Amino acid sequence: MAGHSKWANIQHRKGKQDKLRSKLFSKLAKEITVAAKMGDPDPDKNPRLRLAVKEAKSSSVPKDVIDRAIKKSQGGDAENYDEIRYEGYGPNGIAIIVEAMTDNRNRTASNVRSYFTKHGGDLGQTGSVNFMFDRKGEIMYAASAGDADTVMMAALEAGAEDVESDEDGHWIYTSDTDLAEVSTALEASLGESEHAKLIWKPQAPTEIDLETAQKLMKLLDALEDDDDVQNVTGNFDIPEEVAAQL
């Protein structure tokens, strides 16, 4: 099983859900505001905003928070956020991509650099690790959406590139430009997805041991805890027996 869902399960076991939820709500609202400001405030006319609203709804963000975020984008007092990607290496050379939205580049760069340094990593130049990842659309469905064959057929018919299924769910991958279209097509056959978003998909995830996993989780937690950081991705895979000990 890939690192993405294990990471979420580990955070769940550690009882971080309430803290993560409030952070998640504010980060999803920021994405909605930026998407609406950059394009049309109508989700039907703005694919990025449509996906941002869908992601927020699937994470149980209240409708009034979503509406407020869109409204904020149209006001004269809306903050100007820069989208920045940081790249570096964590413990044992694990490649990490950090996506941020910030109104203060110096603050965010300083914070991200300090997290890497403090937790045994090294912040590199832009482009230093992204060649180890592919930019893809990821659509996730719960296991209850159907068996692997059913989901695979629906995904291929909708124009997806690949599907990974296990006992926790189904992960459907698309090209980055086809995400909105495939996501909409899948809703007709499989219903509402758990999430649909652009990701950096590791080409060859590195299996890590317990010591590396413990150090890596501290770095990832620190990065995700930063208000300016939207997404963190690493090219790691955690074996089941290691995940159980975290």
Side-chain angles (χ1 to χ4, degrees), residues 3-241:
H4 47 210
S5 53
K6 280 215 193 98
W7 187 358
N9 292 343
I10 289 161
Q11 289 174 322
H12 184 78
R13 281 207 300 271
K14 287 163 79 174
K16 292 187 172 184
Q17 289 309 95
D18 288 344
K19 183 180 178 185
L20 286 171
R21 183 176 291 273
S22 64
K23 288 273 183 190
L24 181 64
F25 279 16
S26 65
K27 291 180 181 189
L28 290 169
K30 187 190 285 189
E31 166 64 18
I32 288 170
T33 300
V34 169
K37 189 173 183 179
M38 289 175 66
D40 195 292
D42 181 354
D44 290 335
K45 300 175 184 174
N46 183 336
R48 177 171 173 175
L49 178 58
R50 186 163 69 248
L51 287 169
V53 169
K54 177 182 172 63
E55 181 74 0
K57 286 179 176 176
S58 70
S59 298
S60 304
V61 176
K63 186 177 184 298
D64 65 310
V65 173
I66 295 172
D67 292 342
R68 201 157 57 238
I70 294 175
K71 191 175 180 181
K72 183 179 178 182
S73 74
Q74 304 307 297
D77 58 344
E79 296 99 329
N80 286 313
Y81 291 112
D82 291 327
E83 296 183 84
I84 311 170
R85 186 176 79 240
Y86 301 96
E87 300 178 29
Y89 292 93
N92 278 19
I94 297 298
I96 295 173
I97 292 178
V98 181
E99 294 172 285
M101 279 186 191
T102 181
D103 55 2
N104 185 326
R105 282 171 170 262
N106 291 337
R107 177 192 66 220
T108 309
S110 175
N111 287 347
V112 170
R113 186 178 300 281
S114 71
Y115 302 142
F116 273 89
T117 303
K118 182 179 178 182
H119 296 288
D122 184 31
L123 184 62
Q125 299 294 318
T126 301
S128 58
V129 306
N130 73 335
F131 64 90
M132 301 184 212
F133 299 79
D134 294 318
R135 191 63 164 158
K136 295 291 181 185
E138 180 184 78
I139 305 163
M140 189 262 173
Y141 277 90
S144 57
D147 60 40
D149 288 343
T150 301
V151 173
M152 174 71 82
M153 288 304 298
L156 294 178
E157 285 176 14
E161 293 180 346
D162 192 21
V163 182
E164 295 175 9
S165 297
D166 60 28
E167 67 274 12
D168 292 316
H170 309 278
W171 285 265
I172 298 163
Y173 296 101
T174 74
S175 71
D176 55 349
T177 54
D178 290 344
L179 175 58
E181 188 178 325
V182 174
S183 175
T184 300
L186 279 170
E187 282 182 17
S189 55
L190 297 177
E192 192 82 18
S193 63
E194 298 283 313
H195 74 233
K197 59 187 178 183
L198 287 170
I199 64 159
W200 292 95
K201 190 172 187 288
Q203 293 168 357
T206 302
E207 201 165 273
I208 57 177
D209 59 22
L210 180 59
E211 183 181 354
T212 302
Q214 289 170 332
K215 290 178 182 175
L216 186 62
M217 289 301 142
K218 287 178 182 176
L219 171 57
L220 300 181
D221 283 346
L223 287 165
E224 289 210 320
D225 207 35
D226 191 288
D227 291 338
D228 295 333
V229 172
Q230 291 291 104
N231 299 296
V232 184
T233 311
N235 69 337
F236 65 94
D237 185 32
I238 306 177
E240 290 289 356
E241 61 274 15

